[in-house]
Amino acid sequence: EGFQVFMKSKMDEDLFNLGLRLYDLDIDDKAIIVFSECLKRNVKPDISSFKLAGALLATGKEDEGIKHLENAVKMNPKYVDAYFNLGAIYYDRGLYSKSVENYRKVYLFRPNDDKAVYGFAAAEYALGEFDLSLEDCKKALTLNPKNENAKVLFDMLQHRSK
């Protein structure tokens, strides 16, 4: 295919930048090809894996996307955005313990991230850990009183205790 030839002619940095442009334009099928090639060439492998995961998730290839997010955090244990995405995906899949685990890693590196705190509060709620969920929900609202999701969860938790 012509795109393969074009891609192979690119130097590593140019190839990576091409992948970023395709990703930002939501041209996910081509971004998948480019970031896969970046991984073969070992070009910024943590970011390439993260971006590849995003493109795969956007095309409905969730299992493959998760695998690449997991690879991104293995390569870079401080990859906060990858942990955040894993927290959300695992929550959506009903894997609440894994969701909490990933959102807590975000919190380790970004303790003022109200969305991450809300993320583990919601997963704790789903696990039936209501006291812990309430405590963390309050923490999310302290960080950001305008967090609408945390407000809803807080109301749900308040009504549970009555």
Side-chain angles (χ1 to χ4, degrees):
E1 174 186 314
F3 185 72
Q4 292 282 357
V5 173
F6 168 74
M7 189 178 65
K8 292 203 185 301
S9 73
K10 294 284 184 189
M11 299 300 283
D12 292 350
E13 192 67 28
D14 292 336
L15 180 68
F16 180 79
N17 289 330
L18 171 64
L20 291 177
R21 280 195 291 284
L22 292 167
Y23 183 87
D24 290 342
L25 293 170
D26 295 324
I27 305 173
D28 296 310
D29 57 333
K30 298 290 191 222
I32 289 168
I33 295 167
V34 171
F35 285 119
S36 294
E37 181 65 23
C38 285
L39 286 174
K40 285 181 197 163
R41 295 186 192 184
N42 204 32
V43 179
K44 300 183 184 182
D46 58 338
I47 301 169
S48 292
S49 204
F50 178 79
K51 295 295 187 180
L52 176 57
L56 288 163
L57 291 165
T59 58
K61 297 175 181 153
E62 201 168 88
D63 289 337
E64 234 183 305
I66 290 169
K67 182 184 88 172
H68 284 285
L69 284 173
E70 293 284 4
N71 285 340
V73 296
K74 280 183 191 135
M75 289 182 259
N76 179 354
K78 295 181 180 179
Y79 208 143
V80 176
D81 292 335
Y83 286 123
F84 191 92
N85 290 0
L86 284 166
I89 291 165
Y90 286 136
Y91 182 90
D92 291 345
R93 285 190 155 197
L95 300 169
Y96 303 118
S97 293
K98 285 185 126 182
S99 177
V100 169
E101 176 185 319
N102 282 280
Y103 279 130
R104 286 203 181 276
K105 287 181 182 165
V106 174
Y107 182 70
L108 280 175
F109 298 108
R110 288 197 313 227
N112 294 324
D113 189 325
D114 65 287
K115 292 179 188 84
V117 177
Y118 163 75
F120 57 77
E124 290 161 350
Y125 180 88
L127 288 166
E129 297 174 6
F130 303 118
D131 292 340
L132 192 54
S133 180
L134 180 60
E135 181 183 317
D136 289 327
C137 193
K138 286 178 184 174
K139 193 182 302 178
L141 288 168
T142 299
L143 291 169
N144 177 7
K146 294 179 181 175
N147 183 321
E148 292 301 322
N149 291 325
K151 285 181 188 179
V152 170
L153 180 59
F154 182 76
D155 287 342
M156 288 169 48
L157 287 159
Q158 289 292 93
H159 286 97
R160 274 196 61 71
S161 61
K162 289 182 181 174

